[in-house]
Amino acid sequence: LRGLRGVAFLAGGTDGGDGPDNDAAGAVVTGSDAEEAELVGLDPQEFLRRCDSYSFFRRFEEAKLGRTNVIHLRDGPTGTNVADLAVLLVRPKGG
């Protein structure tokens, strides 16, 4: 998504966690997030190499928004496991 304007992607699980002892259900990213992360000293590619999106999103949302559980979905177990969810939003040209 890097560099794409007007695009957002949500990936999440309805069970509220990704593996045992993990409270992350997913995250929302936009086309500007990689550049914004670099501006606050985070290297998105390094986090990807380490398969550590949890730490990336926790640190990125704290730097960008001053709080957590906004773009990094961490609500804990829901007691359900209906499905994983992926949503891509694209703003139309001129919109």
Side-chain angles (χ1 to χ4, degrees):
L1 293 178
R2 185 184 189 116
L4 295 177
R5 301 293 178 226
V7 176
F9 182 71
L10 162 98
T14 60
D15 57 355
D18 185 23
D21 301 320
N22 187 323
D23 65 350
V28 177
V29 295
T30 69
S32 62
D33 285 345
E35 293 169 358
E36 290 178 21
E38 290 167 350
L39 290 174
V40 295
L42 299 173
D43 180 356
Q45 292 300 316
E46 180 58 30
F47 286 92
L48 282 173
R49 277 190 283 282
R50 294 192 325 249
C51 296
D52 189 10
S53 61
Y54 186 94
S55 296
F56 172 79
F57 283 108
R58 181 180 48 80
R59 292 177 58 191
F60 179 54
E61 69 184 352
E62 287 173 351
K64 181 177 180 175
L65 304 169
R67 57 192 180 124
T68 61
N69 202 25
V70 179
I71 57 178
H72 189 202
L73 310 175
R74 296 182 2 247
D75 291 325
T78 63
T80 66
N81 193 11
V82 177
D84 289 342
L85 179 67
V87 177
L88 177 67
L89 299 174
V90 180
R91 184 179 352 173
K93 271 191 165 180

